[in-house]
Protein backbone atom coordinates (compact mmCIF):
# COMPACT_ATOMS: atom_id res chain seq x y z
CA UNK A 1 0.00 0.00 0.00
CA UNK A 2 1.13 3.53 -0.73
CA UNK A 3 0.33 4.55 2.86
CA UNK A 4 2.86 2.24 4.52
CA UNK A 5 6.02 3.81 3.17
CA UNK A 6 8.78 1.46 2.09
CA UNK A 7 7.86 -1.41 4.45
CA UNK A 8 7.93 -4.68 2.48
CA UNK A 9 6.28 -7.07 4.97
CA UNK A 10 2.65 -8.02 5.45
CA UNK A 11 0.07 -5.69 6.96
CA UNK A 12 -0.10 -7.88 10.09
CA UNK A 13 3.68 -7.70 10.50
CA UNK A 14 3.70 -3.93 10.02
CA UNK A 15 1.08 -3.50 12.73
CA UNK A 16 2.91 -5.93 15.05
CA UNK A 17 6.01 -3.76 14.70
CA UNK A 18 4.03 -0.61 15.44
CA UNK A 19 2.60 -2.25 18.57
CA UNK A 20 6.10 -3.30 19.64
CA UNK A 21 7.26 0.30 19.18
CA UNK A 22 4.38 1.44 21.40
CA UNK A 23 5.20 -1.16 24.04
CA UNK A 24 8.84 -0.06 24.22
CA UNK A 25 8.01 3.61 24.57
CA UNK A 26 6.97 5.27 21.32
CA UNK A 27 4.94 8.36 22.17
CA UNK A 28 3.20 8.58 18.77
CA UNK A 29 2.30 6.06 16.10
CA UNK A 30 0.97 6.88 12.61
CA UNK A 31 -1.47 4.44 11.07
CA UNK A 32 -2.87 4.79 7.55
CA UNK A 33 -6.61 5.36 7.28
CA UNK A 34 -6.94 2.33 4.99
CA UNK A 35 -5.70 -0.05 7.73
CA UNK A 36 -8.35 -2.64 8.59
CA UNK A 37 -10.63 -1.99 11.57
CA UNK A 38 -9.31 -5.14 13.30
CA UNK A 39 -5.69 -3.96 13.11
CA UNK A 40 -6.63 -0.37 14.05
CA UNK A 41 -8.36 -1.70 17.17
CA UNK A 42 -5.20 -3.60 18.18
CA UNK A 43 -3.11 -0.44 17.83
CA UNK A 44 -5.72 1.63 19.70
CA UNK A 45 -5.66 -0.86 22.59
CA UNK A 46 -1.85 -0.72 22.76
CA UNK A 47 -1.96 3.09 22.75
CA UNK A 48 -4.50 3.13 25.60
CA UNK A 49 -2.28 0.86 27.71
CA UNK A 50 0.79 3.05 27.37
CA UNK A 51 -0.55 6.53 26.72
CA UNK A 52 0.91 6.66 23.22
CA UNK A 53 -1.00 8.90 20.83
CA UNK A 54 -2.53 7.47 17.67
CA UNK A 55 -2.23 9.46 14.46
CA UNK A 56 -4.50 8.29 11.65
CA UNK A 57 -3.34 9.64 8.31
CA UNK A 58 -4.35 9.83 4.70
CA UNK A 59 -2.44 11.11 1.69
CA UNK A 60 -4.44 12.59 -1.15
CA UNK A 61 -1.82 12.03 -3.85
CA UNK A 62 -3.62 13.46 -6.87
CA UNK A 63 -5.01 16.76 -5.63
CA UNK A 64 -6.32 18.77 -2.71
CA UNK A 65 -9.97 17.73 -2.26
CA UNK A 66 -12.69 20.23 -1.41
CA UNK A 67 -12.81 21.46 2.18
CA UNK A 68 -16.02 19.55 2.95
CA UNK A 69 -14.48 16.26 1.77
CA UNK A 70 -11.46 16.83 4.01
CA UNK A 71 -13.71 17.62 6.98
CA UNK A 72 -15.58 14.34 6.41
CA UNK A 73 -12.29 12.44 6.41
CA UNK A 74 -11.14 14.14 9.64
CA UNK A 75 -14.43 13.26 11.37
CA UNK A 76 -14.22 9.62 10.20
CA UNK A 77 -10.61 9.29 11.42
CA UNK A 78 -11.67 10.64 14.82
CA UNK A 79 -14.42 8.02 15.09
CA UNK A 80 -11.81 5.34 14.34
CA UNK A 81 -9.73 6.28 17.37
CA UNK A 82 -7.39 8.98 16.09
CA UNK A 83 -6.10 11.39 18.71
CA UNK A 84 -4.42 13.31 15.91
CA UNK A 85 -5.57 13.28 12.27
CA UNK A 86 -2.97 13.77 9.56
CA UNK A 87 -4.02 15.09 6.16
CA UNK A 88 -1.46 15.39 3.35
CA UNK A 89 -2.62 16.63 -0.03
CA UNK A 90 -0.94 17.43 -3.31
CA UNK A 91 -1.07 21.18 -3.87
CA UNK A 92 -1.43 21.91 -7.59
CA UNK A 93 -2.51 25.54 -7.37
CA UNK A 94 -1.85 28.25 -4.82
CA UNK A 95 -5.51 28.34 -3.78
CA UNK A 96 -5.22 24.74 -2.52
CA UNK A 97 -3.26 26.19 0.41
CA UNK A 98 -6.32 28.21 1.40
CA UNK A 99 -8.27 24.94 1.69
CA UNK A 100 -5.55 23.54 3.97
CA UNK A 101 -5.50 26.70 6.08
CA UNK A 102 -9.30 26.59 6.41
CA UNK A 103 -9.20 22.89 7.33
CA UNK A 104 -6.68 23.63 10.05
CA UNK A 105 -8.68 26.58 11.37
CA UNK A 106 -11.89 24.52 11.40
CA UNK A 107 -10.27 21.53 13.17
CA UNK A 108 -8.78 23.75 15.86
CA UNK A 109 -12.17 25.42 16.39
CA UNK A 110 -13.70 21.93 16.79
CA UNK A 111 -11.01 20.87 19.27
CA UNK A 112 -9.58 18.31 16.84
CA UNK A 113 -5.81 17.91 16.78
CA UNK A 114 -4.56 17.76 13.19
CA UNK A 115 -1.39 17.66 11.16
CA UNK A 116 -2.06 19.34 7.82
CA UNK A 117 0.58 19.23 5.10
CA UNK A 118 0.60 20.37 1.48
CA UNK A 119 2.85 18.31 -0.77
CA UNK A 120 4.65 19.73 -3.77
CA UNK A 121 6.53 22.97 -4.31
CA UNK A 122 3.35 25.06 -4.12
CA UNK A 123 2.50 23.36 -0.82
CA UNK A 124 5.59 24.69 0.99
CA UNK A 125 3.65 27.64 2.38
CA UNK A 126 1.19 25.24 4.07
CA UNK A 127 4.10 23.65 5.94
CA UNK A 128 4.60 27.01 7.66
CA UNK A 129 1.07 28.44 7.68
CA UNK A 130 -0.79 25.42 9.03
CA UNK A 131 1.35 25.18 12.21
CA UNK A 132 0.84 28.91 12.75
CA UNK A 133 -2.92 28.25 12.57
CA UNK A 134 -2.67 25.34 15.03
CA UNK A 135 -1.58 22.26 13.10
CA UNK A 136 0.15 19.96 15.62
CA UNK A 137 3.49 19.86 13.76
CA UNK A 138 5.21 20.09 10.43
CA UNK A 139 7.77 17.72 8.92
CA UNK A 140 11.27 18.99 8.25
CA UNK A 141 14.23 17.18 6.71
CA UNK A 142 17.77 17.68 8.01
CA UNK A 143 19.00 18.50 4.51
CA UNK A 144 17.99 18.18 0.85
CA UNK A 145 19.24 14.57 0.65
CA UNK A 146 16.95 13.41 3.47
CA UNK A 147 13.69 14.91 2.17
CA UNK A 148 10.82 12.43 2.09
CA UNK A 149 8.35 14.50 0.06
CA UNK A 150 8.33 17.17 -2.60
CA UNK A 151 8.01 20.60 -1.02
CA UNK A 152 9.31 19.47 2.35
CA UNK A 153 11.28 22.14 4.16
CA UNK A 154 14.78 21.58 5.48
CA UNK A 155 16.03 22.54 8.91
CA UNK A 156 18.02 25.52 7.64
CA UNK A 157 14.78 26.96 6.13
CA UNK A 158 13.25 27.05 9.60
CA UNK A 159 16.41 28.39 11.19
CA UNK A 160 16.44 31.22 8.66
CA UNK A 161 12.78 32.02 9.36
CA UNK A 162 13.27 31.87 13.11
CA UNK A 163 16.11 34.38 12.84
CA UNK A 164 13.92 36.66 10.69
CA UNK A 165 11.13 36.60 13.27
CA UNK A 166 13.35 37.37 16.26
Amino acid sequence: SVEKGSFKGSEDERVRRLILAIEIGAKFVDLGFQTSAKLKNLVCAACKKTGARLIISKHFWNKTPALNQLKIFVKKAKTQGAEIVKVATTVKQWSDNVVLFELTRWAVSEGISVIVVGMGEKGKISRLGCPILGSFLTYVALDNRSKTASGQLILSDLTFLKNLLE
Side-chain angles (χ1 to χ4, degrees), residues 124 128 147 152-162:
K124 277 185 176 182
L128 295 171
K147 284 184 176 184
Q152 188 174 46
L153 301 172
I154 60 173
L155 187 57
S156 61
D157 294 333
L158 291 187
T159 304
F160 171 76
L161 288 168
K162 179 181 178 273

Side-chain angles (χ1 to χ4, degrees), residues 21 27 49 53 66 90 99-100:
K27 301 294 182 210
K49 280 185 195 170
R53 298 182 70 191
T90 296
V99 173
L100 299 179

Side-chain angles (χ1 to χ4, degrees), residues 1-5 11 14 18 28-36 40 43 53-61 70 73-74 76-78 80-89 113-117 119 137 139:
S1 164
V2 176
E3 296 286 330
K4 68 179 186 178
E11 188 71 349
R14 184 177 71 87
L18 289 173
F28 298 89
V29 64
D30 185 334
L31 200 57
F33 181 72
Q34 84 296 341
T35 304
S36 74
K40 272 187 195 140
V43 173
R53 298 182 70 191
L54 176 60
I55 301 167
I56 293 182
S57 62
K58 182 165 178 62
H59 290 76
F60 296 86
W61 298 105
L70 294 173
F73 161 70
V74 169
K76 281 183 184 175
K78 282 296 291 177
Q80 293 181 1
E83 284 191 64
I84 302 168
V85 181
K86 176 183 163 192
V87 175
T89 74
S113 187
V114 291
I115 299 168
V116 180
V117 175
M119 299 181 290
L137 58 78
Y139 296 89

Side-chain angles (χ1 to χ4, degrees), residues 61-72:
W61 298 105
N62 296 322
K63 64 179 183 174
T64 297
L67 179 59
N68 284 339
Q69 287 178 271
L70 294 173
K71 287 179 178 180
I72 289 167

